[in-house]
Amino acid sequence: SIIADAGNPSGIGVGQTVFLSGDGGRLRYTGTTAASTNRDFVVTPGSGQPGILSLSDTLTLTGTISGSGGAFMEFRGSIEITGTNTYTATTNVQTNSTVIIPQITNTGVAGPLGTGDTIFIGPNATLRFTGASGATNREIFLTSTVDVDETIDVTTGMLTLNGDIVGGHSTSRFVKAGGGILSPLAAKDRTNRV
């Protein structure tokens, strides 16, 4: 229930680096207040879904996430990611979760969401972009199978999606939120509604 910067006592000790098994290793933050850590996370080889979960308030990650393990990198709860990350797994914004990023990059370029070519957004999940301007050629995959919202929130700036937006359910909604600009708002292979 306690997480802190490297060198400070916490539930995961005082070390700088935390290793997550690529076969499904997860860090769960269960504290009841917002917290942050500058620790680095390394995903070891494996084919599962490792992840970082915050089960109550927002957890901010200012260190790096690296490694080639895992098929998916799961983020659950409210997670803010600011590091320049090189993990290769597909980013998965889980059901009922919010992932907050200040920048976004193209496939293969290190950034908060690693270097993978696809970003999954789950049912009632939100990807929130807080930067002034950003663009990505990554595919956005909407995973809903029921009548729910899947949201991209552009708080004040402009976010350009040059990749496809695919998936979704015929009764679900792809929602643009926030006061910023999302361009383009739709792409050819979605099955849900805007």
Side-chain angles (χ1 to χ4, degrees):
S1 63
I2 298 175
I3 195 167
D5 285 342
N8 296 296
S10 73
I12 52 175
V14 298
Q16 176 66 49
T17 304
V18 178
F19 290 89
L20 299 175
S21 168
D23 286 321
R26 292 173 179 153
L27 173 77
R28 290 179 174 87
Y29 172 63
T30 60
T32 57
T33 58
S36 66
T37 183
N38 66 356
R39 297 170 196 253
D40 300 320
F41 294 86
V42 177
V43 182
T44 64
S47 57
Q49 182 166 261
I52 299 174
L53 295 69
S54 180
L55 304 183
S56 55
D57 214 324
T58 299
L59 174 62
T60 300
L61 307 175
T62 62
T64 61
I65 307 172
S66 63
S68 59
F72 297 91
M73 183 66 191
E74 171 189 6
F75 296 102
R76 184 184 295 272
S78 180
I79 308 284
E80 183 171 9
I81 310 168
T82 64
T84 303
N85 302 318
T86 58
Y87 69 87
T88 59
T90 294
T91 296
N92 189 359
V93 183
Q94 275 284 6
T95 302
N96 298 320
S97 299
T98 298
V99 168
I100 306 159
I101 54 171
Q103 63 175 348
I104 196 164
T105 58
N106 284 330
T107 298
V109 180
L113 300 182
T115 63
D117 59 7
T118 305
I119 301 167
F120 279 37
I121 301 179
N124 290 324
T126 298
L127 178 63
R128 179 172 297 148
F129 176 71
T130 61
S133 178
T136 185
N137 64 357
R138 301 180 196 219
E139 178 182 85
I140 305 295
F141 192 98
L142 309 174
T143 68
S144 65
T145 58
V146 293
D147 182 7
V148 294
D149 292 344
E150 290 148 312
T151 301
I152 293 183
D153 181 356
V154 185
T155 55
T156 58
M158 180 173 181
L159 175 60
T160 301
L161 302 179
N162 294 316
D164 286 337
I165 305 172
V166 300
H169 187 267
S170 60
T171 61
S172 64
R173 293 159 301 277
F174 175 48
V175 176
K176 182 270 173 186
I181 298 170
L182 178 63
S183 175
L185 184 59
K188 60 183 178 181
D189 293 325
R190 284 184 308 104
T191 57
N192 62 355
R193 299 171 290 164
V194 177

